[in-house]
Amino acid sequence: PMFYTPHGYSFLMEDYKPLKRIMFRMIEKICAQKSCITISCSFGEHQETLKLTKHAVYVNNGININEIDKLINETAEIEHTFTVYTLGRICYQKNPEMFNLIAESMPEINFVWIGDGEMRNQLTAANIRIIGWTERLTALKLALNADVFLLTSRWEGLPVSLLESMYMKKVCVVSNAIGNRDVIKDKKNGYVCSRIEDYIEAIKYIRQNRTQSIVENAYQNVLAEYNTKVMAERYSYIYEEKLRK
């Protein structure tokens, strides 16, 4: 049996020129005609797969919550001013221009970018602190001592940084992109934004109001769905079912 897990189709990457994206889609379409089952990593990616082949299922990405619990137990939370953070490469996909515009519009709030990349020169707002690449424990400590996880991506598969932030009970404010909107349901377990005004309004609301039910819903979602135990069980079922047939 043959299985294919894309983890983010190249034809969805908006930094490629249209002709190249068309070529990538054609290649995927041709390859999808093989006797193969495509396993997408999110519901949104699965919808794209169904345009290529009907031999498709999806298994949501998951995080190792035991590993995170261990790291959390080794990390102390300290008093801090209201902080918005993100984690990842500073590149076109992550839309640092939007992150910068939001920070410029809210000069009274601290913004932190954990990571580095070729577009760090886009982060010019005085209230943005670029951490650079760092050890996992250091990154986790910074995240634990922040309040809001902000993800302004142009596209995603199903971001692990988002799932980890949900598990750490940080309020998540994300772009209206595949992957993000598959996990975050607006005003239920986080906030989904399409315009800069949406981001600003969400962050202001979070700063001034209790959001305990939202972070608890997100935390429970990870426990029930987005963890490696559930993910492994579902992959095993798909593989074993195909072998039995």
Side-chain angles (χ1 to χ4, degrees):
M2 185 184 295
F3 301 92
Y4 170 45
T5 306
H7 276 286
Y9 283 114
S10 296
F11 60 75
L12 296 176
M13 298 172 70
E14 296 177 10
D15 51 344
Y16 287 132
K17 292 180 178 178
L19 180 59
K20 185 176 281 190
R21 294 174 67 184
I22 290 170
M23 289 175 62
F24 285 149
R25 185 181 287 274
M26 288 176 61
I27 292 168
E28 293 283 3
K29 181 79 172 175
I30 292 167
C31 291
Q33 305 311 308
K34 285 181 168 289
S35 178
C36 174
I37 295 175
T38 300
I39 308 175
S40 299
C41 69
S42 71
F43 177 76
E45 188 174 79
H46 178 60
Q47 296 306 300
E48 293 295 328
T49 299
L50 290 175
K51 297 173 186 177
L52 306 171
T53 176
K54 299 303 178 187
H55 302 293
V57 294
Y58 75 96
V59 176
N60 285 316
N61 266 353
I63 58 171
N64 187 332
I65 58 179
N66 292 330
E67 178 195 26
I68 296 178
D69 282 337
K70 182 175 182 295
L71 291 171
I72 288 173
N73 290 335
E74 297 172 2
T75 305
E77 287 194 59
I78 58 175
E79 282 193 33
H80 59 274
T81 56
F82 190 85
T83 301
V84 176
Y85 77 101
T86 196
L87 189 151
R89 191 157 65 96
I90 310 174
C91 61
Y92 181 81
Q93 178 199 358
K94 300 297 183 181
N95 202 355
E97 303 100 318
M98 176 63 80
F99 190 92
N100 192 70
L101 286 171
I102 296 165
E104 286 181 337
S105 302
M106 312 183 81
E108 73 283 4
I109 292 176
N110 293 328
F111 285 77
V112 173
W113 193 302
I114 306 168
D116 210 332
E118 63 273 18
M119 293 184 69
R120 66 176 292 153
N121 62 334
Q122 298 289 326
L123 301 175
T124 58
N127 54 332
I128 294 178
R129 179 185 170 202
I130 302 174
I131 302 299
W133 297 120
T134 184
E135 293 180 352
R136 181 160 170 74
L137 186 58
T138 303
L140 186 71
K141 186 180 295 186
L142 289 163
L144 281 170
N145 289 288
D147 303 277
V148 174
F149 176 70
L150 176 61
L151 195 58
T152 54
S153 309
R154 289 182 166 92
W155 72 89
E156 286 287 355
L158 203 169
V160 170
S161 58
L162 171 58
L163 301 180
E164 290 182 340
S165 297
M166 291 166 66
Y167 187 71
M168 289 188 290
K169 296 191 175 182
K170 303 302 170 184
V171 192
C172 298
V173 179
V174 302
S175 61
N176 187 15
I178 289 175
N180 291 344
R181 63 173 176 257
D182 297 330
V183 178
I184 298 297
K185 306 306 176 187
D186 193 38
K187 297 181 178 65
K188 294 182 179 178
N189 63 348
Y191 296 85
V192 180
C193 305
S194 300
R195 307 169 304 147
I196 185 171
E197 293 82 5
D198 300 334
Y199 290 106
I200 294 169
E201 181 182 335
I203 293 169
K204 284 183 176 178
Y205 179 85
I206 294 162
R207 192 181 185 193
Q208 297 169 0
N209 296 274
R210 286 180 57 83
T211 53
Q212 187 58 38
S213 62
I214 284 178
V215 296
E216 185 61 32
N217 288 340
Y219 175 77
Q220 292 299 329
N221 290 155
V222 174
L223 289 181
E225 181 73 21
Y226 302 106
N227 63 78
T228 49
K229 184 175 185 296
V230 173
M231 185 174 71
E233 287 172 354
R234 291 180 180 174
Y235 271 108
S236 294
Y237 176 80
I238 293 168
Y239 296 154
E240 289 168 2
E241 184 71 9
K242 185 66 175 176
L243 286 168
R244 280 196 294 271
K245 289 181 180 178

